[in-house]
Amino acid sequence: QQHVNRHICRDISPAYREAMNGFHHAPILTVNVALRNWKFLDKMGIASARWFEGFGWFTSLRRNLEIPGQTTQPLDPAKPVVLTMYNPFPLPGVHFPQQCTAARMQLFGLTFAQIESQVRAQFTKLFGDYGFDANRDIAGIITNRWGHAYVVDPPGFFFGKNGNPAPKDVINKRYHRLSFGHSELSGAQMWETAAEEGERAGQQILEVI
């Protein structure tokens, strides 16, 4: 991740340094809500929920892991489940890239008690009419504050700007015996893109060893 690389690679060239500084990251708060059952979702006839006001914005059931030769636990509304929420901190009107820093401070300013309270209130608002009871049904809440979660793709990120190459096009070229490979370079952070960028970086290093 370029947020880390630019602090490690102290003697990188000015062109690479400028390209590294072109990567900015937005924070995400991940919340895992362990439930004793999900009968309320079954009663609603849904597997996912999307909302536009309040805490978070989306949650969904996940298929159980399937391992060849082993029996997979069926999705049973009477059995426990973990619902995951990914909570962004959009701040419309705040100039980029200051919005990334302001959002990060908002994330780190939340106490666990505030997060827990908002989760309980949001789930009660969404599902309370269908039998959900926060005190009875929530077995636990686990949070992960991800301060530099996802790269932000401003104008110029993909194709360059003002006649200058795109930052990602600078970084994905080998610099002497250094080669960078991570999903940010694609602008779409997924396992697939991480693997592709890692393979490209590995092939570049093979050129000099």
Side-chain angles (χ1 to χ4, degrees):
Q1 191 185 76
Q2 296 311 320
H3 175 74
V4 175
N5 290 341
R6 60 176 173 239
H7 295 289
I8 297 174
C9 304
R10 298 281 185 174
D11 56 351
I12 205 81
S13 74
Y16 276 76
R17 172 73 58 192
E18 183 179 356
M20 286 180 174
N21 289 334
F23 285 77
H24 301 276
H25 302 82
I28 287 287
L29 172 66
T30 306
V31 181
N32 291 304
V33 185
L35 300 171
R36 293 186 171 87
N37 68 81
W38 49 279
K39 295 178 181 178
F40 57 94
L41 290 180
D42 186 53
K43 187 175 182 179
M44 296 172 74
I46 64 173
S48 303
R50 172 82 164 92
W51 58 94
F52 298 89
E53 293 181 353
F55 186 75
W57 64 281
F58 174 82
T59 193
S60 179
L61 290 173
R62 292 184 177 182
R63 289 185 60 185
N64 291 325
L65 179 65
E66 294 184 2
I67 301 176
Q70 296 188 20
T71 301
T72 300
Q73 178 177 297
L75 281 173
D76 184 343
K79 292 186 176 182
V81 74
V82 175
L83 295 183
T84 300
M85 302 164 64
Y86 296 96
N87 302 270
F89 293 83
L91 299 171
V94 179
H95 190 265
F96 174 84
Q98 287 76 20
Q99 184 174 155
C100 296
T101 302
R104 197 169 297 116
M105 295 304 100
Q106 186 176 354
L107 165 65
F108 291 136
L110 284 172
T111 66
F112 179 80
Q114 289 173 321
I115 296 170
E116 180 183 26
S117 175
Q118 291 185 72
V119 169
R120 288 175 172 272
Q122 189 66 45
F123 272 48
T124 298
K125 180 179 180 180
L126 293 169
F127 310 125
D129 291 342
Y130 297 89
F132 171 81
D133 182 288
N135 293 328
R136 180 194 64 209
D137 296 333
I138 295 180
I141 297 173
I142 300 174
T143 65
N144 178 26
R145 303 169 194 263
W146 201 359
H148 296 82
Y150 290 100
V151 67
V152 179
D153 307 334
F157 181 87
F158 290 101
F159 305 107
K161 192 176 181 181
N162 299 325
N164 297 316
K168 69 181 188 65
D169 291 337
V170 175
I171 298 298
N172 68 17
K173 292 181 173 62
R174 177 171 54 82
Y175 179 77
H176 299 295
R177 296 177 69 85
L178 289 177
S179 190
F180 302 99
H182 46 75
S183 59
E184 293 172 55
L185 294 174
S186 68
Q189 289 174 261
M190 300 179 292
W191 182 92
E192 298 92 327
T193 54
E196 290 171 0
E197 294 295 342
E199 181 180 10
R200 187 262 312 150
Q203 292 294 336
Q204 289 175 335
I205 293 300
L206 288 175
E207 298 171 358
V208 293
I209 61 174

